[in-house]
Amino acid sequence: MTDAPPSAAPPPAIEAVMREQALAVGYAPASAREGFAALLDLDHQLASILQSTTEPMIGQMRLTWWYEALEKLDHAPAPAHPVLQRLADSVLPGGVRGADLAPMIEGWEALLDDGEALDDERIARHAEARGGVLFASVGRLLGQSGTAPLGEGWAKADLAQHVSDEATRTRIGAAALLDLDAILASKSPKPVRGLSGLAILARESLRHPDRLPGHPMRAARLAWHGLTGR
């Protein structure tokens, strides 16, 4: 197994997203915030592999490293990588195993450019393995079940923001809006408003594409959801 690639400073656009996510994490119970943030760190780390890799084979090798590294957290000390160490310190004690997180890799593998169209099956696989696993893991830290569908809608909405083909972007965004509108129609329980806040922000990106992360209206919408669950 090769060494993990070094972490690079995120570009300004990613920093704005991370600041918004930090606000959402603040609506989670204090006992789960560190683990919640660590899981988002993992998601950013995996996303950066696809964003920085032009050769699918190299991307596959890097994702395989992470799959193995996550599984090893269950029976070996975390290697000297800040994301893995943070997971070991704040996520595993909450009852989430490294093996529970490893399937997130499959969600990113579904997006590796193999020359085939990004069809509904690949989109669903990405949403389930990335967003579903991520939100279910945070839900376990919160002591809440049933959070995976919210994560799937969130992942689809986020994917729609990063697809260059307009027709595909529109198709994914429309499906994500249907999912998120249905799930967010009910008032979110207070313990999960950090997670549902992420979904609110993702839906805002689809409804108001001119409001980029960091826009004051997005912060106001998140604050309203945090207070009311709506």
Side-chain angles (χ1 to χ4, degrees):
M1 187 168 68
T2 59
D3 291 336
S7 300
I14 300 301
E15 287 185 348
V17 171
M18 294 171 71
R19 285 195 295 270
E20 280 194 338
Q21 290 184 345
L23 291 175
V25 169
Y27 289 104
S31 60
R33 289 174 192 163
E34 181 61 26
F36 191 170
L39 288 166
L40 290 174
D41 276 354
L42 172 62
D43 185 66
H44 286 294
Q45 181 71 49
L46 300 178
S48 72
I49 292 175
L50 267 71
Q51 293 165 352
S52 62
T53 301
T54 57
E55 293 293 333
M57 184 175 294
I58 300 299
Q60 182 65 69
M61 291 173 60
R62 294 174 68 187
L63 288 172
T64 298
W65 187 95
W66 276 93
Y67 190 98
E68 295 174 353
L70 288 170
E71 286 199 320
K72 284 186 176 181
L73 288 178
D74 295 332
H75 52 78
H81 190 289
V83 172
L84 291 169
Q85 291 180 339
R86 195 176 187 189
L87 291 172
D89 292 341
S90 60
V91 175
L92 269 62
V96 179
R97 300 176 304 151
D100 298 326
L101 300 174
M104 288 180 65
I105 305 301
E106 299 169 11
W108 291 104
E109 287 175 337
L111 302 184
L112 285 173
D113 185 7
D114 55 7
E116 296 183 5
L118 192 57
D119 58 19
D120 290 343
E121 189 277 331
R122 291 176 66 191
I123 293 166
R125 185 150 44 97
H126 171 73
E128 292 169 7
R130 178 203 178 188
V133 171
L134 175 64
F135 275 50
S137 299
V138 177
R140 185 172 298 177
L141 298 180
L142 298 170
Q144 302 289 316
S145 60
T147 53
L150 187 64
E152 293 172 21
W154 167 82
K156 288 180 186 177
D158 185 67
L159 177 60
Q161 308 303 307
H162 297 90
V163 174
S164 57
D165 180 73
E166 183 176 355
T168 303
R169 182 172 64 248
T170 300
R171 175 167 55 90
I172 298 172
L177 272 176
L178 285 175
D179 291 348
L180 292 173
D181 283 345
I183 296 170
L184 295 170
S186 301
K187 181 178 180 180
S188 296
K190 193 169 184 178
V192 301
R193 288 180 192 170
L195 277 177
S196 53
L198 292 181
I200 287 287
L201 290 173
R203 187 172 67 176
E204 286 293 294
S205 294
L206 296 174
R207 287 181 171 179
H208 306 286
D210 57 319
R211 299 177 185 173
L212 300 178
H215 193 287
M217 291 298 292
R218 291 171 61 92
R221 182 65 184 90
L222 176 62
W224 176 253
H225 178 73
L227 290 172
T228 68
R230 298 290 186 181

